């Protein structure tokens, strides 16, 4: 009788858990039909069904929110603004101090470091039901002028059938094996400073190969450095800059061709 009751409890818990829509990250890319538009919405608003909200917080930090209420922050530095938000999961990279913190809030359930022992890297495969988070390791320049193999992580968030990739502090063009491990990214956040990460022509070549439907520039230090990137990529992809810091994206609303969507960084504050 006791085991029967436990079985019923397990079934009941599974019934209310959020299920993740399968993504096509590792499938052969097909053109997405039905392009309409990207939705703009504030970070405190409810997230539409089958959608993900992406808010640009600062530098390389983004807040990803799901319809089921999950909150994930990329390249977490310990500060996302004045909002009393405890993310469910944060990811970090350690090429520079502006991409991680040694003292994340202990209330955060999942803290994913994008590195391991020097040169060893790390592998993540965190299944939160509604969202799967995994990583692909790449190399970075070490603090001593050498190379730290597998010192950076490209984090991939599979949610609502979408594949959302954050390139982190990428220092080189990924290998064929790394591109294959990433799979088809529908949305990608890419560092476009042109210096501390990688030269702009190389980053643009990476984005050409990825062919992501939505390309979000990050890690730009001024409008001048952002414009350098936009000038270099406009011949390949259209550019949208509407002055917003958040978008909602879903499979139904992806652009029908790769599009650069510029978001303005804005720390999170509580709006009354």
């Amino acid at each position: 009788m006791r085991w029967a009751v436990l079985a019923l409890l397990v079934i009941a818990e599974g019934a209310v858990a959020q299920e993740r829509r399968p993504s096509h990250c590792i499938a052969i890319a097909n053109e997405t039909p039905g392009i309409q538009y990207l939705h703009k919405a504030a970070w405190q608003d409810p997230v539409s069904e089958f959608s993900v909200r992406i808010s640009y917080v600062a530098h390389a930090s983004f807040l990803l929110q799901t319809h089921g209420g999950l909150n994930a922050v990329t390249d977490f530095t310990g500060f996302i603004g004045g909002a009393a938000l405890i993310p469910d999961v944060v990811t970090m990279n350690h090429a520079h101090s502006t991409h991680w913190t040694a003292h994340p809030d202990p209330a955060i359930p999942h803290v994913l470091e994008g590195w391991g022992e020097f040169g060893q890297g790390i592998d993540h495969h965190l299944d939160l039901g509604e969202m799967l988070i995994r990583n692909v390791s790449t190399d970075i320049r070490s603090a001593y002028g050498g190379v730290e193999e597998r010192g950076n992580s490209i984090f991939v968030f599979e949610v609502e059938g979408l594949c959302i990739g954050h390139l982190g502090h990428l220092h080189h063009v990924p290998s064929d094996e790394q591109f294959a491990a990433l799979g088809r990214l529908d949305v990608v956040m890419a560092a476009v400073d042109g210096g501390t990460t990688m030269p702009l022509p190389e980053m643009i070549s990476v984005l050409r190969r990825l062919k992501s439907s939505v390309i979000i520039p990050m890690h730009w230090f001024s409008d001048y450095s952002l414009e350098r990137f936009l000038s270099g990529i406009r011949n390949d992809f259209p550019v949208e800059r509407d002055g917003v810091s958040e978008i909602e994206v879903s499979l139904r609303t992806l652009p029908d061709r790769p599009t650069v969507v510029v978001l303005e960084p804005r720390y999170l504050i509580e709006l009354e």
Side-chain angles (χ1 to χ4, degrees), residues 109-131:
H110 304 283
V111 177
L112 306 185
E113 296 178 346
W115 64 95
E117 294 296 324
F118 188 91
Q120 298 301 308
I122 197 166
D123 293 307
H124 292 292
H125 192 276
L126 177 63
D127 192 340
L128 298 176
E130 192 181 10
M131 177 186 287

Side-chain angles (χ1 to χ4, degrees), residues 191-210:
V192 300
D193 57 278
T196 60
T197 52
M198 57 193 295
L200 284 180
E202 292 183 10
M203 177 57 76
I204 290 173
S205 74
V206 170
L207 297 175
R208 286 195 192 110
R209 177 160 178 176
L210 288 173

Side-chain angles (χ1 to χ4, degrees), residues 66-263:
T66 70
H67 177 69
L70 283 176
N71 296 290
V73 176
T74 67
D75 278 27
F76 181 67
T77 64
F79 181 73
I80 55 177
L85 173 69
I86 301 296
D88 298 288
V89 57
V90 299
T91 64
M92 301 188 297
N93 276 299
H94 74 160
H96 296 289
S97 60
T98 51
H99 297 260
W100 71 292
T101 175
H103 306 287
D105 191 326
I108 299 172
H110 304 283
V111 177
L112 306 185
E113 296 178 346
W115 64 95
E117 294 296 324
F118 188 91
Q120 298 301 308
I122 197 166
D123 293 307
H124 292 292
H125 192 276
L126 177 63
D127 192 340
L128 298 176
E130 192 181 10
M131 177 186 287
L132 171 70
I133 305 172
R134 58 185 177 86
N135 72 307
V136 175
S137 293
T138 63
D139 303 340
I140 58 172
R141 295 180 293 275
S142 73
Y144 308 103
V147 173
E148 181 182 352
E149 295 182 358
R150 294 170 56 84
N152 174 73
S153 279
I154 298 174
F155 282 97
V156 179
F157 304 81
E158 299 187 29
V159 53
E160 292 295 357
L162 295 163
C163 296
I164 301 172
H166 186 285
L167 298 185
H169 215 274
L170 186 63
H171 287 179
H172 63 87
V173 176
S175 65
D176 289 344
E177 292 77 15
Q178 289 165 332
F179 273 116
L182 286 175
R184 172 72 169 93
L185 299 181
D186 299 296
V187 180
V188 65
M189 296 86 145
V192 300
D193 57 278
T196 60
T197 52
M198 57 193 295
L200 284 180
E202 292 183 10
M203 177 57 76
I204 290 173
S205 74
V206 170
L207 297 175
R208 286 195 192 110
R209 177 160 178 176
L210 288 173
K211 293 185 175 65
S212 299
S213 297
V214 177
I215 299 163
I216 303 176
M218 65 174 182
H219 208 264
W220 42 276
F221 300 100
S222 66
D223 275 349
Y224 173 76
S225 63
L226 175 62
E227 280 302 325
R228 285 182 60 233
F229 165 72
L230 297 180
S231 297
I233 205 168
R234 274 195 176 98
N235 290 335
D236 297 286
F237 308 132
V239 174
E240 293 182 4
R241 188 175 189 181
D242 298 333
V244 298
S245 60
E246 312 98 350
I247 58 170
E248 277 191 11
V249 61
S250 69
L251 283 174
R252 291 187 303 169
T253 61
L254 288 174
D256 56 359
R257 57 175 175 158
T259 301
V260 178
V261 178
V262 178
L263 298 181

